[in-house]
Amino acid sequence: MSATGGRSRRDFGEFAVLIARLIADPVHLETRLDRATAALEREGMRVAVAQMLDFCSDVLEIGLPEGDAAALRAILDEHFTPADLLVSAREIAVPDLFVSDMDSTMIGQECIDELADFAGFKDRVAAITERAMQGELDFASALAERVGLLAGLSEETITTCLTERIRPMDGARTLVATLKAKGCRTVLVTGGFHHFADPVAEDIGFEQVVGNRLAVADGKLTGALAGAITDSSVKERVLREEAAKIGPDAISLAAGDGANDIPMLRAATWGLAYRAKPKARKAADGWIDRGDLTAVLELLGIPHEEWVSG
């Protein structure tokens, strides 16, 4: 493998159709690359170039003149797991738009599960959440069932929960601050609640928030939602509408972890699954399984010296 600096798709030759960037354990990296290359060739996919990026020295970039993106992801997954990966059919660059899920993506918790703990229903609610994120339950009905269990809980409990339980994922602030410094618009869209998402977005640095609203009466949760549900279709619509505002050539990046993020991940130029459930991971253009959220910056090819601390 040779280090040449930050080559683009054009540098691979005008017939390059697929680019993969990955970050994996450096031990025996060349041996694993040789095996992956052989496996790709057996599937009719020739590796034109494989090199470490000198501005992100732990990022291996692979260019192929032909091939299938899903097959490429599968073979690289087999030979390099655990790894952080992005496969693209276009030149990889800083996106114009970043849209992300919140729970278990930008923060390390599921807010409704933590809030349910104060009501004495955490195990029950967490089990429903897990099945919904795996895609085993209808999101809207699962959300309604969980919110119903919160009826009677004091609104002040949300503030306590937010202060004591909710923490950003490692690298979240740096990721968002750096993308914004590069001119990227940032939107947090969540199937969770504005009571949590608004302060989380302010803390991490997102410019816009879309989410659900918990209904409150006399200082207590009613067990219902106020307004329409933010579900998978809304997440996708937000991404498409925000990209359209930027222009027809807007490059979009989406991040999420659950089944309700899949339409958004697929609609984006690049969808990245962060420590994700299997269905979301399979639907994405790549994933972050090894590093923290700053791995996204490395995969995008943004040098460390240009990162902005959030």
Side-chain angles (χ1 to χ4, degrees):
M1 292 180 291
S2 63
T4 62
R7 298 170 67 123
S8 73
R9 177 177 175 179
R10 290 184 297 275
D11 295 313
F12 293 136
E14 56 182 290
F15 297 111
V17 297
L18 284 177
I19 298 171
R21 287 183 180 172
L22 67 89
I23 307 167
D25 189 334
V27 177
H28 306 306
L29 186 63
E30 290 199 42
T31 299
R32 284 179 286 149
L33 176 59
D34 289 342
R35 291 171 179 170
T37 299
L40 288 166
E41 289 179 348
R42 288 194 293 271
E43 296 298 322
M45 292 185 284
R46 178 176 60 85
V47 173
V49 64
Q51 61 202 0
M52 305 304 294
L53 299 182
D54 60 4
F55 56 82
C56 291
S57 59
D58 54 351
V59 178
L60 172 63
E61 186 170 61
I62 302 170
L64 291 80
E66 59 184 353
D68 176 75
L72 175 58
R73 289 194 301 269
I75 289 172
L76 295 180
D77 193 18
E78 177 184 354
H79 290 277
F80 291 98
T81 293
D84 304 325
L85 173 72
L86 174 61
V87 171
S88 177
R90 59 173 295 159
E91 180 179 350
I92 297 174
V94 177
D96 302 298
L97 172 68
F98 176 50
V99 180
S100 179
D101 175 46
M102 180 176 72
D103 294 40
S104 298
T105 303
M106 285 294 127
I107 60 174
Q109 302 76 33
E110 292 285 337
C111 290
I112 194 168
D113 296 358
E114 299 303 322
L115 191 57
D117 196 23
F118 289 89
F121 294 110
K122 182 172 183 177
D123 289 347
R124 181 175 171 184
V125 168
I128 299 171
T129 300
E130 177 66 16
R131 292 188 65 196
M133 294 304 98
Q134 293 282 3
E136 298 173 2
L137 298 175
D138 173 70
F139 179 81
S141 59
L143 180 62
E145 181 179 356
R146 287 175 290 164
V147 171
L149 294 172
L150 303 178
L153 198 64
S154 169
E155 188 177 16
E156 294 178 355
T157 305
I158 297 174
T159 302
T160 302
C161 182
L162 183 64
T163 302
E164 295 182 357
R165 306 283 183 90
I166 307 305
R167 298 290 182 270
M169 284 287 192
D170 290 343
R173 295 188 183 100
T174 297
L175 170 60
V176 173
T178 302
L179 290 178
K180 286 169 64 179
K182 295 289 184 179
C184 178
R185 176 162 173 74
T186 58
V187 180
L188 188 68
V189 57
T190 175
F193 314 113
H194 275 279
H195 278 89
F196 291 96
D198 290 346
V200 165
E202 183 177 1
D203 178 32
I204 295 177
F206 281 91
E207 299 163 274
Q208 181 181 343
V209 183
V210 178
N212 294 302
R213 295 190 181 278
L214 291 165
V216 178
D218 300 322
K220 295 183 179 181
L221 303 187
T222 67
L225 293 174
I229 290 178
T230 298
D231 58 10
S232 61
S233 65
V234 173
K235 289 188 172 189
E236 178 187 4
R237 187 178 75 240
V238 168
L239 183 139
R240 292 188 184 278
E241 289 177 350
E242 291 296 325
K245 292 176 186 177
I246 296 169
D249 298 323
I251 300 172
S252 57
L253 172 68
D257 73 296
N260 65 322
D261 296 313
I262 290 174
M264 176 180 73
L265 295 174
R266 287 177 170 165
T269 306
W270 303 304
L272 281 175
Y274 184 79
R275 308 291 173 103
K277 308 302 182 188
K279 289 183 179 180
R281 191 176 185 274
K282 184 176 181 181
D285 299 296
W287 46 76
I288 306 297
D289 285 348
R290 184 172 179 267
D292 63 25
L293 283 167
T294 60
V296 178
L297 299 176
E298 294 191 283
L299 293 175
L300 292 173
I302 300 175
H304 288 206
E305 59 268 24
E306 296 179 13
W307 293 8
V308 179
S309 298

